[in-house]
Amino acid sequence: MQEPEPEFEYGDKPLRLNLALIIAVYFLIAIGLQPLIDFLLVPDPEAADPYRVMALAEEKKKLTGYVYSLWRMLPILFFLWYGWRIIASLRVPPARTRSPFTVRVIKGKSARMFGMLLILVALLLLYRELLVLTKLTG
């Protein structure tokens, strides 16, 4: 019995360039978040009280933790959604989507298992980020 020829979905070059641009912008914004927080929480130059400066530093630490934790959740939520799409269509890559890279099409039970694995990893990472957020608030 001969196996069927593997099916491939070829990559889309404009989508690949857009993906690279989105990733670059994501990291540039991530790099710029800390200076933005420092700019917004500037200590009063006339109030040189060390306790106020220490309280402001603690506030910056908490705000930075919140912002970066929420920022890290964006790609995790994307992978959660993508895993859901894989399970719904029983196909990798999901139906009616373009792929930035050439990939072999996986269908059926294997695709469902891959989607479940993707969702499981995304949920574990989301749980970790929620733990970080609760540690900051507590």
Side-chain angles (χ1 to χ4, degrees), residues 26-46:
Y26 176 83
F27 282 111
L28 285 175
I29 291 173
I31 291 169
L33 286 174
Q34 183 66 43
L36 180 65
I37 292 170
D38 288 340
F39 176 74
L40 293 175
L41 296 179
V42 176
D44 185 15
E46 296 177 7

Side-chain angles (χ1 to χ4, degrees), residues 69-113:
S69 186
L70 292 173
W71 191 249
R72 286 188 304 258
M73 282 186 190
L74 290 176
I76 297 170
L77 290 172
F78 169 76
F79 285 114
L80 186 68
W81 170 81
Y82 197 71
W84 181 256
R85 289 284 315 268
I86 289 172
I87 290 175
S89 67
L90 292 176
R91 186 175 187 272
V92 177
R96 298 183 307 278
T97 57
R98 296 180 301 163
S99 176
F101 307 103
T102 300
V103 293
R104 182 175 180 203
V105 175
I106 303 170
K107 296 180 182 179
K109 193 174 184 178
S110 299
R112 179 184 295 143
M113 293 305 287

